[in-house]
Amino acid sequence: MCIRDSQRRVHGDISRDSIEVANNGSTAVYYEWRKIHHDSSFQMTTSDKEERFLCHHDKNVLKPGETRRFYFSFISQIPGVFSENWILYSEPKTVQPLRPILLTGNALVEDEHISWRDELESLLNVKQRDTLVRETINDIVERVKTPTPPLPDLNDPEVCKREFEQRNERYHLWYTSSVIVWFRDLEAELYDYLRISKAQQYWDMNVDYLKDLIQSVKDDFVRPCFERKFNEYFEFAKQKPVVRSHMYDYFRDQLIAALNTCLLYTSDAADDLLCVDLGGRRIIQKK
């Protein structure tokens, strides 16, 4: 038997259920419904002695051939799930013992914050949808992102100069063709010694790459040789080339200006003068 409180709010409403009992014998039976008490029950505590289940007409006489319906009521002032065991005692006793019946009652309370809960759920759904949209867009962008630009053409002197000085700016290294040739030779020697495959051979002009290759040399006699070469080239690269000096441009301009002021003679003038070409090419004597 199950008795369920159909009201959403607990405030004294009563729920009912029933069971039917028949006397099929030839003797009147005196009966009494009794609740079975348990010492340990998760519903009942020392502060909770409320009677929640009630049997109507709990004791009387059931005549031979009579059928009677017994009603049980459930009421609770607090929400929860409650149950009790009841048994029908009779005198005289029945041929077969009667089994106890289990009464179960559910008391529910109305959610007073249902509107706030609905609003919160709606807000969370919107946030979840926005997050899903952002993740989808980011995933699409990742898949169609701009392809990686091609590697710079380091065989071009101007490109090589730019990459070398930018990547080694913290060391204040200067590009010269001689420095690059020396470092390239050192790079090839390291590749050959370390047996690095062609697919892995790429120097982006950062000298730290060469330093790391040298540190990977395990031989304590070979590694210092590579280090000595590297340090020599490194120190030379720290010297600013003369052609990159501002004074170089100044003196070059002054020299060109001085040369432009010198008197130059044509071949026709050479025929008229006793001697020409102070530069020492030839001296022509007029006969």
Side-chain angles (χ1 to χ4, degrees):
M1 174 181 290
C2 177
I3 302 177
R4 181 181 298 272
D5 185 354
S6 60
Q7 302 298 320
R8 297 293 295 176
R9 181 183 296 275
V10 175
H11 49 149
D13 290 332
I14 301 175
S15 295
R16 294 181 177 85
D17 204 347
S18 63
I19 184 172
E20 191 175 82
V21 178
N23 183 358
N24 297 325
S26 59
T27 305
V29 176
Y30 294 88
Y31 67 86
E32 180 181 2
W33 283 101
R34 298 178 185 176
K35 180 170 61 174
I36 303 175
H37 295 281
H38 298 280
D39 294 335
S40 59
S41 173
F42 68 91
Q43 297 97 348
M44 303 293 291
T45 64
T46 56
S47 61
D48 181 15
K49 299 297 185 179
E50 180 184 352
E51 296 289 339
R52 296 185 173 86
F53 295 91
L54 175 66
C55 177
H56 302 270
H57 308 290
D58 56 345
K59 55 185 177 179
N60 209 325
V61 178
L62 191 62
K63 298 177 181 180
E66 182 182 3
T67 299
R68 183 170 297 178
R69 181 170 294 277
F70 297 95
Y71 290 90
F72 291 84
S73 300
F74 168 75
I75 184 172
S76 177
Q77 300 300 326
I78 61 174
V81 179
F82 306 91
S83 63
E84 291 181 0
N85 289 296
W86 288 66
I87 190 169
L88 181 62
Y89 287 91
S90 64
E91 184 62 37
K93 297 184 179 300
T94 58
V95 177
Q96 295 180 351
L98 298 176
R99 292 181 301 174
I101 62 172
L102 175 64
L103 304 180
T104 302
N106 300 334
L108 309 177
V109 63
E110 184 178 356
D111 188 356
E112 298 178 355
H113 304 285
I114 188 169
S115 58
W116 175 84
R117 195 186 310 278
D118 291 341
E119 182 179 352
L120 178 60
E121 183 178 0
S122 177
L123 180 61
L124 292 177
N125 288 336
V126 171
K127 288 187 176 181
Q128 183 180 14
R129 181 188 61 198
D130 293 344
T131 301
L132 180 61
V133 170
R134 284 196 301 271
E135 291 178 351
T136 303
I137 293 176
N138 291 338
D139 185 58
I140 295 174
V141 171
E142 284 294 325
R143 293 183 181 183
V144 297
K145 85 169 47 170
T146 304
T148 305
L151 295 174
D153 182 11
L154 299 180
N155 293 322
D156 185 337
E158 290 300 321
V159 175
C160 184
K161 172 184 173 182
R162 183 192 68 227
E163 294 294 320
F164 181 79
E165 294 187 354
Q166 286 182 355
R167 296 184 181 276
N168 301 288
E169 185 177 5
R170 63 185 179 281
Y171 297 129
H172 304 290
L173 301 186
W174 296 87
Y175 166 88
T176 63
S177 58
S178 299
V179 166
I180 296 302
V181 169
W182 295 337
F183 276 131
R184 284 293 190 189
D185 290 342
L186 178 61
E187 175 194 12
E189 292 178 17
L190 288 167
Y191 287 155
D192 183 63
Y193 181 82
L194 297 172
R195 297 183 179 181
I196 298 177
S197 63
K198 288 286 185 181
Q200 298 176 318
Q201 295 180 10
Y202 181 74
W203 178 39
D204 62 355
M205 293 290 118
N206 190 336
V207 295
D208 289 336
Y209 172 74
L210 298 179
K211 291 168 69 174
D212 292 340
L213 288 180
I214 293 173
Q215 293 304 314
S216 64
V217 176
K218 303 301 182 183
D219 194 315
D220 293 335
F221 294 98
V222 177
R223 186 174 60 256
C225 297
F226 287 123
E227 291 176 343
R228 184 172 60 255
K229 288 184 179 181
F230 176 86
N231 292 332
E232 290 178 0
Y233 305 156
F234 185 86
E235 291 300 323
F236 191 87
K238 293 178 68 174
Q239 302 176 17
K240 187 175 183 178
V242 176
V243 296
R244 304 282 292 279
S245 172
H246 296 295
M247 296 303 296
Y248 173 85
D249 295 335
Y250 172 77
F251 283 114
R252 184 192 61 186
D253 294 341
Q254 293 297 319
L255 179 60
I256 293 175
L259 292 176
N260 288 336
T261 61
C262 293
L263 180 62
L264 298 178
Y265 296 94
T266 64
S267 58
D268 294 337
D271 295 337
D272 297 332
L273 298 178
L274 294 176
C275 61
V276 294
D277 199 347
L278 298 179
R281 283 175 292 180
R282 73 175 193 275
I283 297 177
I284 301 176
Q285 297 282 346
K286 186 176 181 180
K287 298 181 180 179

